[in-house]
Amino acid sequence: MILSKPQGRIANDTSRNRVAICGRRWGKTVLAIRELCKAASIPKQKCWYVAPTYKQARQVVFEELKDKLRELRWLTKVNETNLEFSLKNGSTIALKGADNYDSLRGVGLNFLVMDEFADIKPDAWYSTLRPTLSDKQGRALFIGTPKGIGNWSYDIFNQAVEDPESWSSYQYSTLSGGRVPAEEISSARRDLDEKTFNQEYLGTFETYSGVIYYNFDRNRHVKTYTGEIPDVIHCGLDFNIDPMSASIGVQTDSGFHFVDYLKIYGSNTNEVCDEIKRRYPNKKIFVYPDASGRQRRSSANGMTDHIILQNAGFVVKSANTNPAVKDRIAAVNSKLCSTTGDIGILVDPKCKPIIEGLERQTYKEGTQIPDKDNITDHQNDATGYVISWLYPIRRNTQNTEPGNWRSRQGNRL
Ligand SMILES: Nc1ncnc2c1ncn2[C@@H]1O[C@H](COP(=O)(O)OP(=O)(O)OP(=O)(O)O)[C@@H](O)[C@H]1O
Ligand SMILES: [Mg+2]
C-alpha cells in the first residue's frame, strides 16, 4: 500500500512525538499500522497500539495487522488473547485497550500509537503511558479526530507550539486523505450540522458552550402538531425505572414531529406497554428501545424487556448494541438543524420533558461527556434512540441503511 502524500509527510517526520488530527476516513488507522510495522522492523523493540477499548483494538486492527505481518513473513508467534505479535527480530507489537489503563503500567516501550486518542482518558497518557516511554526515550504517535477545544486532544495538539523540539502536529481534512469522494463530503455537509461537519470532516477543534443540543431553539422547534395522528407511531424508549421515559412522534414531510411522551416513576415495561396501547389503540407502533433491554430480564417469569415489547404487539427496532452516545447526539443535532438550515425535528408544546431535555442537558465541564446526574438524560436517550435509528448520520460511503450500526460504523473506533 502506497501512503498518500499527507500520510507520507507524517511518516517521514522524525520528531519524538507526532500528533495527527484528521477527518473521518482519512487513513489514520492505516498510517498507525504502517508506523507500528516500521518501528518494529528495528530489532528488539516493544511497540504498542492503544485504542479507547480492547474490543476496538481487536475489531479494528488485529486481523489487518496479522495479515500484514504474515505477508512480510516477520511473525514467530501470535497471542490471540493478549493481542500480541512476536517477530523474528525479537520485537513485539501488542494491541491494548485504554478502558483498563491501570493495567498498562510498567513496561519500557520504544513506540506507542494512540488511535482515536480524544476518546481515551487523559490520565491514561499522563499517569500511565507516558512513563512507559521514559526509560527508552520511546516515540509516540497520537492520531484521531478532534473532540472540541475542551478535550485534552486540543492540549496535545498544541504541544508543538510550546515544545517544537520534541513535538510536531498535523491537521488534515477528510478530503485531503483522498479516500472519500468530494460528492460524498458535500452530501455529508448537507446532512450534518455545521459543528459536527467541521469536526468530523474538516478535522477542526470546535467550541461547544457546554449545551449538548446546541441546535435546539424553542422558538423554532416547538410547534403544535395539528395533523391527524397517522397509522404508524414511533416511540423511543429508555428503560430506566425511575423514571421510565418515552419520546413519541410521527414522521412528517419535513422530518419528525414529537407529539407525546411518557415519564413514569416506579414503573416497569409491562405498564409502559399498557399505557402506550391505551393512548394509541389500533395504531402500528414501532419502538426504539435501549439495546440493553435485549438481555435485561424484568418480569417475574424471566422475559426480557424486548420480548415484553414484542408480545405487546410492537415492532422493536434495536441493534445488538446502542449506537455510540456521540453518534446519537450528532444525529439529533443534525436533524434539529442541518448545515443548510433545514429543520427536521419539531416538538409539540405539551412534550415538556422532551423540550427541557433538549434545552438543558449539558456536558460535564471541559469534556464531551453528557452530565448523567441530570434528570434530562433519560428523556434524551429515548429521543436519541428513535432519531438516530430513523435519521442516522452518514458514517461512510457504503452501508447507510438505518439500524445497521455495526456495518454503518465501518471500522470507526
Ligand atoms: N495509503 C492508502 N492506500 C490505500 N488505501 C488506503 C490508504 N490509506 C487508507 N486507505 C483506505 O481508506 C479507508 C479508510 O482508512 P482508515 O480506516 O485508516 O481511516 P481512518 O481515518 O482511520 O477512518 P475512521 O475515521 O473511520 O477511523 C480504508 O478502507 C483504508 O484501507
Ligand atoms: Mg480509524
Side-chain angles (χ1 to χ4, degrees):
M1 195 181 280
I2 299 163
L3 292 183
S4 67
K5 266 200 184 139
Q7 281 173 326
R9 224 165 278 144
I10 299 169
N12 289 332
D13 186 317
T14 54
S15 305
R16 182 169 172 205
N17 301 296
R18 292 168 292 168
V19 185
I21 296 289
C22 316
R24 297 295 320 280
R25 312 301 293 155
W26 178 85
K28 302 179 289 293
T29 301
V30 162
L31 178 63
I33 292 175
R34 165 85 167 222
E35 288 299 287
L36 273 178
C37 293
K38 195 168 80 187
S41 68
I42 302 166
K44 297 203 173 62
Q45 301 290 294
K46 260 191 168 172
C47 308
W48 276 14
Y49 169 93
V50 179
T53 66
Y54 170 89
K55 200 167 149 198
Q56 288 165 340
R58 184 172 195 104
Q59 279 174 354
V60 177
V61 162
F62 187 64
E63 291 302 324
E64 208 163 313
L65 185 56
K66 189 161 71 181
D67 290 348
K68 174 120 196 136
L69 294 171
R70 283 213 172 115
E71 191 189 306
L72 291 165
R73 298 175 184 277
W74 287 2
L75 274 178
T76 54
K77 202 171 120 204
V78 180
N79 185 326
E80 301 264 345
T81 316
N82 290 345
L83 308 182
E84 188 164 316
F85 302 94
S86 305
L87 311 188
K88 288 175 185 164
N89 66 359
S91 291
T92 54
I93 301 178
L95 312 186
K96 306 279 178 186
D99 37 0
N100 184 15
Y101 63 84
D102 257 349
S103 66
L104 306 181
R105 289 178 193 280
V107 286
L109 290 183
N110 301 95
F111 184 65
L112 166 71
V113 182
M114 295 173 80
D115 198 357
E116 293 301 349
F117 72 103
D119 291 332
I120 293 174
K121 288 204 176 107
D123 219 28
W125 163 247
Y126 290 111
S127 21
T128 308
L129 291 166
R130 183 164 65 175
T132 64
L133 293 167
S134 297
D135 38 335
K136 291 184 178 158
Q137 295 285 293
R139 298 180 72 203
L141 171 63
F142 297 80
I143 198 157
T145 40
K147 290 277 153 353
I149 58 165
N151 183 272
W152 73 292
S153 57
Y154 188 61
D155 301 334
I156 290 286
F157 180 74
N158 285 319
Q159 290 269 15
V161 181
E162 288 159 31
D163 182 7
E165 289 269 297
S166 350
W167 290 80
S168 60
S169 292
Y170 296 85
Q171 191 166 24
Y172 287 113
S173 68
T174 297
L175 187 65
S176 73
R179 304 289 150 207
V180 181
E183 312 82 71
E184 171 61 19
I185 295 175
S186 307
S187 151
R189 189 192 279 274
R190 280 194 299 277
D191 288 352
L192 299 176
D193 69 89
E194 195 176 356
K195 284 190 184 201
T196 305
F197 176 80
N198 290 348
Q199 173 170 293
E200 302 282 316
Y201 286 84
L202 301 184
T204 54
F205 289 95
E206 296 296 307
T207 335
Y208 292 89
S209 65
V211 173
I212 296 179
Y213 300 97
Y214 48 77
N215 274 342
F216 182 76
D217 175 353
R218 240 171 221 264
N219 297 324
R220 296 196 299 161
H221 292 98
V222 177
K223 198 170 167 204
T224 305
Y225 182 76
T226 51
E228 291 252 319
I229 296 291
D231 290 337
V232 177
I233 308 286
H234 300 273
C235 174
L237 181 61
D238 186 63
F239 291 119
N240 186 58
I241 293 165
D242 263 328
M244 276 273 196
S245 300
S247 297
I248 302 168
V250 299
Q251 287 189 288
T252 63
D253 290 344
S254 56
F256 197 83
H257 205 134
F258 284 102
V259 295
D260 202 357
Y261 71 95
L262 286 182
K263 185 171 188 166
I264 315 179
Y265 286 86
S267 184
N268 60 47
T269 311
N270 288 304
E271 220 172 77
V272 166
C273 290
D274 290 346
E275 182 57 23
I276 297 174
K277 283 203 288 192
R278 190 189 65 74
R279 291 192 198 180
Y280 299 99
N282 311 320
K283 300 285 181 194
K284 182 158 186 153
I285 297 162
F286 283 74
V287 180
Y288 307 80
D290 180 345
S292 65
R294 190 182 280 270
Q295 280 92 33
R296 204 182 76 140
R297 288 170 199 286
S298 66
S299 75
N301 57 8
M303 281 200 287
T304 68
D305 285 317
H306 287 197
I307 291 174
I308 295 171
L309 294 171
Q310 277 156 1
N311 287 351
F314 301 153
V315 181
V316 177
K317 295 283 186 187
S318 170
N320 286 340
T321 53
N322 286 326
V325 174
K326 63 180 180 196
D327 288 337
R328 223 155 66 201
I329 291 170
V332 173
N333 267 328
S334 301
K335 196 69 188 159
L336 279 168
C337 186
S338 70
T339 329
T340 44
D342 295 328
I343 294 202
I345 295 177
L346 292 173
V347 189
D348 191 278
K350 82 173 191 196
C351 304
K352 245 178 124 191
I354 300 179
I355 296 166
E356 286 176 357
L358 292 171
E359 198 165 54
R360 291 192 192 165
Q361 196 182 12
T362 52
Y363 288 112
K364 288 181 184 166
E365 204 178 332
T367 73
Q368 283 205 310
I369 303 163
D371 191 345
K372 291 265 175 197
D373 302 334
N374 205 318
I375 201 77
T376 55
D377 188 47
H378 304 298
Q379 198 72 48
N380 285 341
D381 281 348
T383 302
Y385 293 140
V386 55
I387 293 298
S388 63
W389 184 287
L390 291 173
Y391 313 100
I393 52 170
R394 201 177 289 257
R395 273 305 195 189
N396 62 34
T397 51
Q398 279 138 30
N399 193 336
T400 54
E401 192 190 329
N404 195 348
W405 277 97
R406 278 233 165 111
S407 44
R408 196 168 64 247
Q409 283 185 302
N411 66 357
R412 167 84 168 135
L413 278 171

